[in-house]
């Protein structure tokens, strides 16, 4: 292989020497001179030629090599390559079929049908109605067949977005097999009876952010916005919030070839990249939540992937929970009424909350209701 054709391999995102040379606590936003469009096109052409040569060789490509290809610019480049490399990376045989079952007996059959029926936004404009119906039927089959094998696996809203991506790339049979594999690893925390484990993963975003920007982490915590903005990002692997199918496929290259928490690292990288935009808004719940939740459609995802991998290298999953973070411990969401910090001095915090507009409204409603109840009881005694 020529020196020129190895250019993209030399640019591997997990290069250790450059990571060690960079001062701790910083994420580089430009690692080298940006390629021109012509240079980038040439570089991708060379990368495509390299992948084609590997596939024609007829030998299994190592997981490390597949991951290197997935992490560098453009990812695996095309769905023709993904059809082979996604399955190969996860060890799924192309001939593997999930067990046939009566899909109507699936416990969440009705909810699956409702979600599938509503997934029109990701179907290409101009698709004939008969083709749309066929896509939805195949999607329903992928979802139910991939989940029906294990009674402890539960469907969640958002699973259909991941399944639809797999269907588009792999076709029904292989998509069901791959989704079944992901349920045992990458998606395992989301298919529990509830999303408690997913919620705990979302809470890791602010600790990760705090390692690079204490100011930004404190701002988010002070606003009490929490991390609910990232729920759809994490459980759908960004398929619900990204409009470009090509970008979705690019992100899935990364998620499939990375640890299950990679969507959390990418979420933290996005928040850090948008630091200045976030700090521009008023430090209060609704404003901060809105700017965090509304994901721009033209983010530099190749750069963000690099930054996310740097976070992963520096703070791997096994040490995230031990990070020294400047935050008020765990923020517990109180439905409809904001957030309370129950980690310490809960009595004092409750009194502080009682002095907020929401707390005053709740207290007033309680007192009025109690007074009305006492008056009715008192009046009843004398009427007798």
């Amino acid at each position: 292989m020529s020196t020129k054709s190895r250019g993209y391999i030399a640019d591997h995102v997990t290069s250790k020497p450059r990571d060690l040379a960079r001062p701790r606590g910083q994420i580089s936003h430009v690692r080298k001179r940006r390629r021109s469009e012509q240079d980038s096109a040439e570089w991708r052409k060379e990368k495509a030629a390299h992948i084609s040569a590997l596939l024609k060789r007829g030998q299994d490509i190592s997981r490390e090599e597949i991951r290197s290809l997935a992490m560098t610019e453009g990812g695996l480049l095309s769905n023709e390559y993904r059809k082979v490399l996604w399955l190969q990376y996860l060890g799924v045989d192309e001939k593997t079929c999930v067990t046939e079952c009566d899909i109507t007996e699936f416990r969440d059959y009705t909810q699956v049908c409702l979600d599938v029926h509503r997934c029109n936004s990701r179907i290409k404009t101009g698709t004939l109605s008969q083709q749309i119906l066929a896509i939805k039927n195949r999607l329903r089959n992928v979802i139910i067949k991939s989940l029906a094998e294990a009674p402890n696996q539960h469907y969640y809203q958002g699973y259909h977005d991941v399944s639809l991506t797999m269907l588009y790339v792999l076709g029904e049979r292989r998509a069901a097999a791959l989704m079944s594999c992901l349920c045992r690893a990458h998606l395992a925390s989301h298919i529990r009876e509830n999303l408690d484990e997913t919620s705990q993963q979302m809470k890791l975003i602010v600790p990760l952010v705090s390692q690079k920007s204490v100011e930004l982490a404190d701002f988010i915590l002070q606003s009490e916005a929490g991390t609910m903005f990232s729920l759809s990002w994490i459980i759908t692997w960004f398929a619900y919030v990204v409009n470009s199918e090509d970008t979705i496929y690019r992100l899935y290259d990364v998620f499939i070839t990375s640890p299950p928490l990679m969507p959390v690292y990418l979420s933290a990288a996005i928040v850090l990249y948008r630091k200045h935009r976030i700090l521009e808004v008023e430090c209060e719940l609704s404003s901060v939540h809105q700017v965090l939740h509304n994901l721009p459609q033209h983010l530099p995802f190749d750069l963000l992937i690099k930054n996310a991998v740097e976070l992963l290298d520096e703070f791997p999953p096994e040490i995230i929970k031990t990070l020294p973070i400047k935050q008020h411990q765990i923020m517990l969401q109180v439905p409809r009424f904001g957030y309370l910090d129950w980690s310490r001095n809960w009595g004092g915090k409750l009194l502080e909350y009682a002095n907020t507009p929401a707390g005053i409204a709740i207290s007033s409603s309680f007192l009025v209701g109690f007074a009305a109840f006492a008056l009715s009881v008192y009046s009843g005694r004398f009427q007798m």
Side-chain angles (χ1 to χ4, degrees):
M1 185 185 300
S2 68
T3 303
K4 183 178 180 181
S5 65
R6 290 196 298 266
Y8 60 86
I9 296 178
D11 191 37
H12 194 298
V13 69
T14 57
S15 176
K16 295 296 182 182
R18 284 183 291 181
D19 286 344
L20 294 175
R22 186 178 61 258
R24 181 181 177 88
Q26 296 182 10
I27 287 184
S28 62
H29 285 272
V30 178
R31 189 179 296 277
K32 58 166 61 176
R33 179 183 65 84
R34 289 184 180 273
R35 293 187 182 91
S36 67
E37 290 186 8
Q38 183 177 352
D39 289 342
S40 182
E42 183 65 24
W43 186 85
R44 291 185 182 220
K45 184 178 179 180
E46 293 171 0
K47 184 176 184 181
H50 174 68
I51 296 175
S52 295
L54 291 175
L55 295 177
K56 288 178 181 178
R57 204 170 59 191
Q59 300 174 357
D60 287 343
I61 307 172
S62 70
R63 285 167 57 90
E64 292 75 17
E65 191 162 16
I66 296 174
R67 186 167 192 268
S68 175
L69 294 168
M71 293 297 167
T72 50
E73 183 181 323
L76 300 180
L77 296 181
S78 78
N79 289 350
E80 289 303 312
Y81 298 144
R82 294 181 177 107
K83 285 180 182 179
V84 178
L85 297 178
W86 282 2
L87 296 173
Q88 193 169 124
Y89 184 86
L90 294 175
V92 178
D93 193 306
E94 287 197 22
K95 299 179 181 179
T96 300
C97 294
V98 295
T99 305
E100 291 296 325
C101 62
D102 183 355
I103 61 174
T104 61
E105 294 296 322
F106 184 62
R107 60 177 168 267
D108 296 318
Y109 177 78
T110 301
Q111 185 61 55
V112 170
C113 289
L114 289 172
D115 288 347
V116 168
H117 178 69
R118 289 192 292 256
C119 69
N120 296 312
S121 62
R122 291 188 62 195
I123 296 178
K124 187 180 296 185
T125 303
T127 304
L128 299 177
S129 58
Q130 289 183 335
Q131 293 175 317
I132 293 175
L133 181 60
I135 291 172
K136 291 182 176 180
N137 286 338
R138 290 196 291 269
L139 175 58
R140 179 198 60 199
N141 294 341
V142 169
I143 293 169
I144 294 179
K145 289 179 180 179
S146 63
L147 288 171
E149 294 183 347
N152 62 335
Q153 295 180 344
H154 297 264
Y155 171 77
Y156 64 87
Q157 288 181 296
Y159 187 89
H160 68 290
D161 284 298
V162 184
S163 299
L164 183 57
T165 305
M166 301 305 171
L167 175 63
Y168 280 157
V169 175
L170 303 171
E172 181 180 332
R173 177 177 58 81
R174 287 181 291 186
L178 187 62
M179 287 300 295
S180 181
C181 177
L182 290 176
C183 285
R184 297 190 292 271
H186 295 68
L187 303 177
S189 60
H190 309 324
I191 58 173
R192 309 295 186 200
E193 189 172 358
N194 54 54
L195 289 176
D196 288 350
E197 192 172 337
T198 302
S199 178
Q200 293 303 313
Q201 291 180 2
M202 291 159 54
K203 290 178 182 177
L204 299 176
I205 294 174
V206 175
L208 280 170
V209 169
S210 71
Q211 302 312 298
K212 304 299 177 181
S213 175
V214 173
E215 177 189 13
L216 180 57
D218 283 351
F219 183 84
I220 294 172
L221 289 165
Q222 186 178 351
S223 73
E224 301 183 343
T227 53
M228 281 300 293
F229 68 88
S230 66
L231 178 61
S232 61
W233 301 4
I234 291 171
I235 65 175
T236 72
W237 284 5
F238 289 83
Y240 182 74
V241 292
V242 172
N243 294 335
S244 167
E245 288 295 326
D246 288 337
T247 301
I248 293 172
Y249 302 145
R250 170 73 186 97
L251 294 177
Y252 276 47
D253 290 340
V254 174
F255 297 143
I256 287 174
T257 59
S258 299
L261 284 178
M262 191 59 182
V264 172
Y265 288 95
L266 182 61
S267 299
I270 290 172
V271 172
L272 286 164
Y273 180 82
R274 302 187 66 218
K275 172 181 176 179
H276 299 298
R277 174 68 184 94
I278 295 168
L279 293 177
E280 286 177 354
V281 304
E282 183 181 355
C283 186
E284 58 90 27
L285 191 153
S286 61
S287 298
V288 176
H289 175 80
Q290 183 176 10
V291 73
L292 287 168
H293 178 73
N294 294 333
L295 189 71
Q297 290 301 311
H298 300 291
L299 291 173
F301 278 104
D302 276 312
L303 172 63
L304 292 170
I305 288 167
K306 287 184 178 181
N307 292 345
V309 173
E310 289 173 2
L311 283 173
L312 175 64
D313 288 343
E314 192 171 358
F315 307 106
E318 61 269 19
I319 71 166
I320 291 180
K321 294 180 181 179
T322 67
L323 292 178
I325 53 176
K326 185 180 179 183
Q327 68 168 350
H328 311 110
Q329 301 299 323
I330 297 174
M331 303 298 291
L332 176 67
Q333 182 177 5
V334 181
R336 297 177 58 198
F337 304 119
Y339 297 79
L340 287 176
D341 175 6
W342 291 92
S343 59
R344 55 181 179 172
N345 190 22
W346 63 268
K349 294 294 181 181
L350 189 59
L351 289 175
E352 290 180 14
Y353 184 71
N355 289 324
T356 65
I360 293 172
I362 295 171
S363 302
S364 301
S365 299
F366 175 78
L367 291 174
V368 170
F370 181 78
F373 172 75
L375 183 60
S376 64
V377 172
Y378 183 77
S379 301
R381 287 185 59 188
F382 283 94
Q383 287 177 0
M384 294 176 61

